[in-house]
Amino acid sequence: MRIVDAQVIVCSPGRNFVTLKLVTEDGVHGLGDATLNGRELAVASYLRDHVAPLLIGRDARRIEDTWQYLYKGAYWRRGPVTMTAIGAVDTALWDILGKVANLPVYQLLGGASREAVTVYAHANGRTLDDTVAAVGRQAEAGYTAVRAQCGVPGLEHAYGIATNDAPYEPAEKGLPPETVWSTERYLDFVPSVFDRLRRELGFDLLLLHDVHHRLTPIEAGRLGRALEPHALFWMEDPVPAEHQEAYRIIRQHTTTPIAAGEVFNSIFDCQLLIQEGLIDYIRATVAHAGGISHLRRIAGLAELHHVRTGAHGATDLSPIAMAAALHFDLSVHNFGIQEHMPHTADTDRVFPHAYRFERGFMHPGEAPGLGVEIDQGLAATFPYDRAYLPVARRGDGTLHSW
Ligand code: CS2
Ligand code: MG
């Protein structure tokens, strides 16, 4: 089962995606998502120029050895570009193994630990009224969990708010737009959003909120405490997490559950957070944290410490990453929740898939492998289109975490 071809496919059916396609001598192929939002071509080059030559001739069944070869063998370890590339290779090899075994990947991972995967939806609005209406619509669509983001009075832009009627999409065409941020206005306003949501919608619905790395630990402690009466399912990324010890301060001040890790690349980024029980949900993904193999390691460590998974699932992860996440979610014992943002119709046409959504739950389907394909002819009609995430500055012009 030698690998004979490794292709990197870049396309933009509404947004940019990088896909790795590995082909074996028997003509079986596997797919991996290598999309790193705003830095896509760096991963494409890493794979095409440095990884593909190493894969040709390797046995596609040696998933663990290939992972170690690309990780330890590079000498330069970790980092988003390297780990996204390794993740794509790993995911593609699991896809191949599933196809050869004629089994969906979740069966290779130990089988289903649950009937279906609980997913949370996004709801956002520029005003409080719009946000409450958006959350209500997602609840009516059958979601049992909804992430609520609201525009902040006095701020032109807030994270997570759609600029038009289309679903929220973080990247924007061209060069990075600049936005203005005020911690004071945000902290003042957010508790009133959840107060209103709970008063109008009650406590049955699970509510989540993404702070998007904007606060300091003591500010995060204050927000978490203010949100306690509204019983959030989680408060996400309250602070930038390079300094894991900083989460101790948040924990000392609030019992609001904490989720972190969509930007993490390896188990080392969350080792202390997990081992000290400083978070409740780990958001590392298949795409950016070294693939299915490495994510399972992270989940294994998390399970020992009562931390559950809550994988990132924004639209900048392609349907290949979504499929891989669902196989992982269905199988892993300490699954918590999965983020779900529907892709554009063009993206769904480029990546036909077996996974399905039904009233708040998803399932990866029973197709062998990951159950997702890429229509390369159609993909070629959507060429790469440069786009960046915005940046944020405080009122005086100081750069702030976006
Ligand atoms: C996010 C994303 O889904 C989330 O929770 O924080 O919207 C994130 O901003 C993007 O994935 C960045 O590429
Ligand atoms: Mg997030």
Side-chain angles (χ1 to χ4, degrees):
M1 250 175 82
R2 304 271 154 207
I3 299 169
V4 294
D5 194 20
Q7 299 168 29
V8 178
I9 305 152
V10 180
C11 64
S12 193
R15 67 154 1 274
N16 293 315
F17 294 114
V18 179
T19 302
L20 176 69
K21 178 177 179 180
L22 300 181
V23 186
T24 70
E25 58 192 336
D26 317 301
V28 180
H29 70 270
L31 300 175
D33 180 20
T35 308
L36 186 62
N37 204 0
R39 296 294 186 271
E40 296 88 357
L41 300 184
V43 187
S45 161
Y46 191 108
L47 283 168
R48 197 180 280 138
D49 298 327
H50 302 292
V51 172
L54 305 176
L55 295 176
I56 306 304
R58 292 185 71 85
D59 185 338
R61 289 167 296 196
R62 297 188 64 174
I63 299 178
E64 179 63 21
D65 184 63
T66 301
W67 196 99
Q68 300 295 344
Y69 186 82
L70 295 176
Y71 182 81
K72 297 191 169 123
Y75 185 64
W76 310 107
R77 299 184 185 196
R78 305 161 60 184
V81 174
T82 298
M83 297 304 282
T84 302
I86 294 177
V89 174
D90 183 82
T91 306
L93 293 180
W94 280 103
D95 191 20
I96 289 174
L97 192 64
K99 286 176 179 164
V100 170
N102 200 26
L103 289 171
V105 166
Y106 79 82
Q107 295 289 13
L108 305 179
L109 303 179
S113 285
R114 54 196 50 80
E115 302 310 314
V117 171
T118 306
V119 294
Y120 70 88
H122 281 213
N124 62 78
R126 287 188 74 82
T127 66
L128 197 40
D129 285 344
D130 290 350
T131 304
V132 173
V135 174
R137 280 196 299 275
Q138 297 294 41
E140 270 166 35
Y143 285 99
T144 58
V146 180
R147 175 188 108 151
Q149 306 294 135
C150 184
V152 177
L155 289 183
E156 184 61 27
H157 303 279
Y159 162 76
I161 311 303
T163 43
N164 44 34
D165 282 344
Y168 171 67
E169 157 57 52
E172 295 189 30
K173 308 274 181 221
L175 296 175
E178 302 234 341
T179 61
V180 177
W181 171 252
S182 162
T183 296
E184 293 72 23
R185 286 181 196 273
Y186 172 79
L187 280 180
D188 230 36
F189 180 65
V190 173
S192 67
V193 175
F194 288 90
D195 183 48
R196 169 96 184 265
L197 285 169
R198 283 308 188 202
R199 274 192 287 118
E200 295 208 7
L201 301 170
F203 279 77
D204 278 352
L205 192 62
L206 304 179
L207 288 178
L208 300 78
H209 179 67
D210 193 347
V211 182
H212 219 256
H213 325 266
R214 306 264 170 122
L215 300 178
T216 64
I218 200 70
E219 290 164 352
R222 174 181 147 195
L223 179 61
R225 186 177 287 185
L227 293 173
E228 278 170 24
H230 313 307
L232 262 59
F233 183 82
W234 79 35
M235 174 170 80
E236 175 179 337
D237 287 330
V239 298
E242 288 96 330
H243 186 217
Q244 297 182 46
E245 289 85 345
Y247 274 71
R248 291 177 186 147
I249 296 174
I250 307 175
R251 278 297 208 220
Q252 283 160 14
H253 291 282
T254 181
T255 56
T256 291
I258 309 286
E262 66 184 36
V263 299
F264 294 171
N265 314 124
S266 82
I267 198 165
F268 302 105
D269 295 328
C270 47
Q271 189 176 4
L272 186 126
L273 289 176
I274 291 173
Q275 285 177 335
E276 287 197 14
L278 299 179
I279 57 173
D280 301 279
Y281 296 92
I282 176 70
R283 285 190 36 76
T285 65
V286 166
H288 300 139
I292 293 172
S293 300
H294 195 66
L295 203 58
R296 290 179 86 207
R297 269 199 184 99
I298 294 175
L301 177 67
E303 187 186 352
L304 300 181
H305 298 276
H306 302 278
V307 174
R308 293 192 287 159
T309 68
H312 189 201
T315 36
D316 47 287
L317 299 146
S318 90
I320 300 166
M322 190 69 207
L326 291 171
H327 287 280
F328 168 83
D329 296 337
L330 195 68
S331 63
V332 72
H333 172 68
N334 54 325
F335 165 77
I337 205 162
Q338 169 68 48
E339 181 177 14
H340 177 229
M341 281 173 83
H343 287 106
T344 65
D346 282 343
T347 298
D348 283 337
R349 285 196 301 127
V350 169
F351 298 95
H353 49 257
Y355 64 75
R356 55 181 193 269
F357 170 83
E358 209 178 314
R359 292 199 69 76
F361 294 89
M362 291 183 78
H363 194 283
E366 301 299 337
L370 294 173
V372 57
E373 285 306 329
I374 182 166
D375 180 335
Q376 285 181 256
L378 190 58
T381 67
F382 295 105
Y384 172 76
D385 195 3
R386 185 166 65 182
Y388 283 95
L389 292 170
V391 297
R393 291 186 188 274
R394 295 201 286 271
D396 67 357
T398 307
L399 200 86
H400 195 83
S401 301
W402 174 73

PDB file of all heavy atoms in Angstrom, residues 79-101:
ATOM      1  N   GLY A  79       4.022  24.483  16.035  1.00  0.00           N
ATOM      2  CA  GLY A  79       3.683  25.655  15.233  1.00  0.00           C
ATOM      3  C   GLY A  79       2.524  25.355  14.300  1.00  0.00           C
ATOM      4  O   GLY A  79       2.326  24.221  13.862  1.00  0.00           O
ATOM      5  N   PRO A  80       1.692  26.383  14.015  1.00  0.00           N
ATOM      6  CA  PRO A  80       0.468  26.134  13.240  1.00  0.00           C
ATOM      7  C   PRO A  80       0.709  25.595  11.828  1.00  0.00           C
ATOM      8  O   PRO A  80      -0.049  24.738  11.362  1.00  0.00           O
ATOM      9  CB  PRO A  80      -0.222  27.506  13.200  1.00  0.00           C
ATOM     10  CG  PRO A  80       0.791  28.494  13.661  1.00  0.00           C
ATOM     11  CD  PRO A  80       1.795  27.760  14.480  1.00  0.00           C
ATOM     12  N   VAL A  81       1.746  26.068  11.142  1.00  0.00           N
ATOM     13  CA  VAL A  81       1.944  25.617   9.759  1.00  0.00           C
ATOM     14  C   VAL A  81       2.342  24.138   9.744  1.00  0.00           C
ATOM     15  O   VAL A  81       1.724  23.314   9.054  1.00  0.00           O
ATOM     16  CB  VAL A  81       2.993  26.499   9.039  1.00  0.00           C
ATOM     17  CG1 VAL A  81       3.297  25.944   7.650  1.00  0.00           C
ATOM     18  CG2 VAL A  81       2.505  27.952   8.954  1.00  0.00           C
ATOM     19  N   THR A  82       3.350  23.807  10.533  1.00  0.00           N
ATOM     20  CA  THR A  82       3.801  22.407  10.598  1.00  0.00           C
ATOM     21  C   THR A  82       2.678  21.476  11.038  1.00  0.00           C
ATOM     22  O   THR A  82       2.432  20.429  10.417  1.00  0.00           O
ATOM     23  CB  THR A  82       4.965  22.275  11.602  1.00  0.00           C
ATOM     24  OG1 THR A  82       6.050  23.076  11.134  1.00  0.00           O
ATOM     25  CG2 THR A  82       5.410  20.838  11.765  1.00  0.00           C
ATOM     26  N   MET A  83       1.971  21.855  12.104  1.00  0.00           N
ATOM     27  CA  MET A  83       0.983  20.933  12.660  1.00  0.00           C
ATOM     28  C   MET A  83      -0.260  20.813  11.783  1.00  0.00           C
ATOM     29  O   MET A  83      -0.927  19.776  11.779  1.00  0.00           O
ATOM     30  CB  MET A  83       0.618  21.345  14.084  1.00  0.00           C
ATOM     31  CG  MET A  83       1.800  21.268  15.055  1.00  0.00           C
ATOM     32  SD  MET A  83       2.600  19.649  15.129  1.00  0.00           S
ATOM     33  CE  MET A  83       1.444  18.759  16.147  1.00  0.00           C
ATOM     34  N   THR A  84      -0.585  21.869  11.037  1.00  0.00           N
ATOM     35  CA  THR A  84      -1.694  21.761  10.085  1.00  0.00           C
ATOM     36  C   THR A  84      -1.305  20.812   8.957  1.00  0.00           C
ATOM     37  O   THR A  84      -2.112  19.985   8.507  1.00  0.00           O
ATOM     38  CB  THR A  84      -2.072  23.156   9.542  1.00  0.00           C
ATOM     39  OG1 THR A  84      -2.426  23.992  10.650  1.00  0.00           O
ATOM     40  CG2 THR A  84      -3.244  23.090   8.573  1.00  0.00           C
ATOM     41  N   ALA A  85      -0.064  20.923   8.510  1.00  0.00           N
ATOM     42  CA  ALA A  85       0.404  20.023   7.441  1.00  0.00           C
ATOM     43  C   ALA A  85       0.403  18.570   7.920  1.00  0.00           C
ATOM     44  O   ALA A  85      -0.096  17.673   7.228  1.00  0.00           O
ATOM     45  CB  ALA A  85       1.810  20.447   6.987  1.00  0.00           C
ATOM     46  N   ILE A  86       0.937  18.341   9.109  1.00  0.00           N
ATOM     47  CA  ILE A  86       0.953  16.964   9.639  1.00  0.00           C
ATOM     48  C   ILE A  86      -0.485  16.467   9.826  1.00  0.00           C
ATOM     49  O   ILE A  86      -0.811  15.305   9.532  1.00  0.00           O
ATOM     50  CB  ILE A  86       1.735  16.901  10.974  1.00  0.00           C
ATOM     51  CG1 ILE A  86       3.210  17.219  10.739  1.00  0.00           C
ATOM     52  CG2 ILE A  86       1.579  15.524  11.617  1.00  0.00           C
ATOM     53  CD1 ILE A  86       4.058  17.246  12.016  1.00  0.00           C
ATOM     54  N   GLY A  87      -1.350  17.348  10.288  1.00  0.00           N
ATOM     55  CA  GLY A  87      -2.753  16.977  10.497  1.00  0.00           C
ATOM     56  C   GLY A  87      -3.412  16.531   9.201  1.00  0.00           C
ATOM     57  O   GLY A  87      -4.202  15.571   9.187  1.00  0.00           O
ATOM     58  N   ALA A  88      -3.083  17.220   8.109  1.00  0.00           N
ATOM     59  CA  ALA A  88      -3.690  16.858   6.819  1.00  0.00           C
ATOM     60  C   ALA A  88      -3.222  15.474   6.377  1.00  0.00           C
ATOM     61  O   ALA A  88      -4.014  14.652   5.891  1.00  0.00           O
ATOM     62  CB  ALA A  88      -3.335  17.910   5.770  1.00  0.00           C
ATOM     63  N   VAL A  89      -1.938  15.195   6.566  1.00  0.00           N
ATOM     64  CA  VAL A  89      -1.411  13.871   6.179  1.00  0.00           C
ATOM     65  C   VAL A  89      -2.075  12.789   7.017  1.00  0.00           C
ATOM     66  O   VAL A  89      -2.562  11.768   6.501  1.00  0.00           O
ATOM     67  CB  VAL A  89       0.133  13.817   6.362  1.00  0.00           C
ATOM     68  CG1 VAL A  89       0.653  12.405   6.098  1.00  0.00           C
ATOM     69  CG2 VAL A  89       0.830  14.834   5.459  1.00  0.00           C
ATOM     70  N   ASP A  90      -2.124  13.012   8.327  1.00  0.00           N
ATOM     71  CA  ASP A  90      -2.706  12.030   9.246  1.00  0.00           C
ATOM     72  C   ASP A  90      -4.169  11.737   8.889  1.00  0.00           C
ATOM     73  O   ASP A  90      -4.596  10.580   8.814  1.00  0.00           O
ATOM     74  CB  ASP A  90      -2.596  12.574  10.677  1.00  0.00           C
ATOM     75  CG  ASP A  90      -3.112  11.596  11.708  1.00  0.00           C
ATOM     76  OD1 ASP A  90      -2.351  10.692  12.089  1.00  0.00           O
ATOM     77  OD2 ASP A  90      -4.287  11.715  12.115  1.00  0.00           O
ATOM     78  N   THR A  91      -4.923  12.815   8.640  1.00  0.00           N
ATOM     79  CA  THR A  91      -6.354  12.653   8.320  1.00  0.00           C
ATOM     80  C   THR A  91      -6.518  11.875   7.018  1.00  0.00           C
ATOM     81  O   THR A  91      -7.371  10.981   6.912  1.00  0.00           O
ATOM     82  CB  THR A  91      -7.018  14.043   8.212  1.00  0.00           C
ATOM     83  OG1 THR A  91      -6.751  14.774   9.417  1.00  0.00           O
ATOM     84  CG2 THR A  91      -8.521  13.937   8.026  1.00  0.00           C
ATOM     85  N   ALA A  92      -5.686  12.197   6.030  1.00  0.00           N
ATOM     86  CA  ALA A  92      -5.781  11.503   4.741  1.00  0.00           C
ATOM     87  C   ALA A  92      -5.449  10.010   4.898  1.00  0.00           C
ATOM     88  O   ALA A  92      -6.058   9.150   4.242  1.00  0.00           O
ATOM     89  CB  ALA A  92      -4.840  12.158   3.731  1.00  0.00           C
ATOM     90  N   LEU A  93      -4.495   9.695   5.790  1.00  0.00           N
ATOM     91  CA  LEU A  93      -4.135   8.277   5.976  1.00  0.00           C
ATOM     92  C   LEU A  93      -5.259   7.509   6.682  1.00  0.00           C
ATOM     93  O   LEU A  93      -5.537   6.350   6.354  1.00  0.00           O
ATOM     94  CB  LEU A  93      -2.820   8.164   6.753  1.00  0.00           C
ATOM     95  CG  LEU A  93      -1.577   8.679   6.008  1.00  0.00           C
ATOM     96  CD1 LEU A  93      -0.321   8.527   6.876  1.00  0.00           C
ATOM     97  CD2 LEU A  93      -1.369   7.944   4.670  1.00  0.00           C
ATOM     98  N   TRP A  94      -5.930   8.149   7.648  1.00  0.00           N
ATOM     99  CA  TRP A  94      -7.089   7.488   8.276  1.00  0.00           C
ATOM    100  C   TRP A  94      -8.193   7.269   7.236  1.00  0.00           C
ATOM    101  O   TRP A  94      -8.881   6.235   7.241  1.00  0.00           O
ATOM    102  CB  TRP A  94      -7.628   8.322   9.438  1.00  0.00           C
ATOM    103  CG  TRP A  94      -6.839   8.167  10.712  1.00  0.00           C
ATOM    104  CD1 TRP A  94      -5.937   9.055  11.231  1.00  0.00           C
ATOM    105  CD2 TRP A  94      -6.862   7.050  11.612  1.00  0.00           C
ATOM    106  NE1 TRP A  94      -5.404   8.559  12.411  1.00  0.00           N
ATOM    107  CE2 TRP A  94      -5.956   7.337  12.673  1.00  0.00           C
ATOM    108  CE3 TRP A  94      -7.557   5.837  11.643  1.00  0.00           C
ATOM    109  CZ2 TRP A  94      -5.738   6.455  13.738  1.00  0.00           C
ATOM    110  CZ3 TRP A  94      -7.345   4.955  12.713  1.00  0.00           C
ATOM    111  CH2 TRP A  94      -6.438   5.271  13.730  1.00  0.00           C
ATOM    112  N   ASP A  95      -8.353   8.240   6.336  1.00  0.00           N
ATOM    113  CA  ASP A  95      -9.372   8.109   5.278  1.00  0.00           C
ATOM    114  C   ASP A  95      -9.062   6.897   4.393  1.00  0.00           C
ATOM    115  O   ASP A  95      -9.939   6.068   4.099  1.00  0.00           O
ATOM    116  CB  ASP A  95      -9.377   9.416   4.456  1.00  0.00           C
ATOM    117  CG  ASP A  95     -10.555   9.530   3.502  1.00  0.00           C
ATOM    118  OD1 ASP A  95     -11.576   8.829   3.708  1.00  0.00           O
ATOM    119  OD2 ASP A  95     -10.467  10.344   2.563  1.00  0.00           O
ATOM    120  N   ILE A  96      -7.788   6.781   4.014  1.00  0.00           N
ATOM    121  CA  ILE A  96      -7.382   5.638   3.176  1.00  0.00           C
ATOM    122  C   ILE A  96      -7.629   4.321   3.916  1.00  0.00           C
ATOM    123  O   ILE A  96      -8.207   3.369   3.373  1.00  0.00           O
ATOM    124  CB  ILE A  96      -5.883   5.763   2.784  1.00  0.00           C
ATOM    125  CG1 ILE A  96      -5.710   6.903   1.771  1.00  0.00           C
ATOM    126  CG2 ILE A  96      -5.336   4.441   2.238  1.00  0.00           C
ATOM    127  CD1 ILE A  96      -4.261   7.220   1.419  1.00  0.00           C
ATOM    128  N   LEU A  97      -7.221   4.265   5.191  1.00  0.00           N
ATOM    129  CA  LEU A  97      -7.383   3.022   5.958  1.00  0.00           C
ATOM    130  C   LEU A  97      -8.853   2.619   6.028  1.00  0.00           C
ATOM    131  O   LEU A  97      -9.207   1.444   5.886  1.00  0.00           O
ATOM    132  CB  LEU A  97      -6.804   3.205   7.363  1.00  0.00           C
ATOM    133  CG  LEU A  97      -6.635   1.922   8.170  1.00  0.00           C
ATOM    134  CD1 LEU A  97      -5.621   0.985   7.516  1.00  0.00           C
ATOM    135  CD2 LEU A  97      -6.193   2.232   9.598  1.00  0.00           C
ATOM    136  N   GLY A  98      -9.712   3.606   6.255  1.00  0.00           N
ATOM    137  CA  GLY A  98     -11.150   3.317   6.315  1.00  0.00           C
ATOM    138  C   GLY A  98     -11.661   2.766   4.998  1.00  0.00           C
ATOM    139  O   GLY A  98     -12.440   1.803   4.969  1.00  0.00           O
ATOM    140  N   LYS A  99     -11.210   3.364   3.897  1.00  0.00           N
ATOM    141  CA  LYS A  99     -11.678   2.884   2.586  1.00  0.00           C
ATOM    142  C   LYS A  99     -11.187   1.456   2.329  1.00  0.00           C
ATOM    143  O   LYS A  99     -11.931   0.618   1.810  1.00  0.00           O
ATOM    144  CB  LYS A  99     -11.191   3.829   1.494  1.00  0.00           C
ATOM    145  CG  LYS A  99     -11.966   5.148   1.468  1.00  0.00           C
ATOM    146  CD  LYS A  99     -11.379   6.089   0.446  1.00  0.00           C
ATOM    147  CE  LYS A  99     -12.176   7.389   0.411  1.00  0.00           C
ATOM    148  NZ  LYS A  99     -11.449   8.455  -0.277  1.00  0.00           N
ATOM    149  N   VAL A 100      -9.948   1.191   2.690  1.00  0.00           N
ATOM    150  CA  VAL A 100      -9.397  -0.151   2.468  1.00  0.00           C
ATOM    151  C   VAL A 100     -10.124  -1.178   3.349  1.00  0.00           C
ATOM    152  O   VAL A 100     -10.444  -2.278   2.909  1.00  0.00           O
ATOM    153  CB  VAL A 100      -7.867  -0.157   2.752  1.00  0.00           C
ATOM    154  CG1 VAL A 100      -7.325  -1.576   2.769  1.00  0.00           C
ATOM    155  CG2 VAL A 100      -7.139   0.686   1.721  1.00  0.00           C
ATOM    156  N   ALA A 101     -10.411  -0.782   4.588  1.00  0.00           N
ATOM    157  CA  ALA A 101     -11.106  -1.694   5.513  1.00  0.00           C
ATOM    158  C   ALA A 101     -12.606  -1.751   5.224  1.00  0.00           C
ATOM    159  O   ALA A 101     -13.320  -2.557   5.807  1.00  0.00           O
ATOM    160  CB  ALA A 101     -10.883  -1.235   6.948  1.00  0.00           C
TER     161      ALA A 101
END
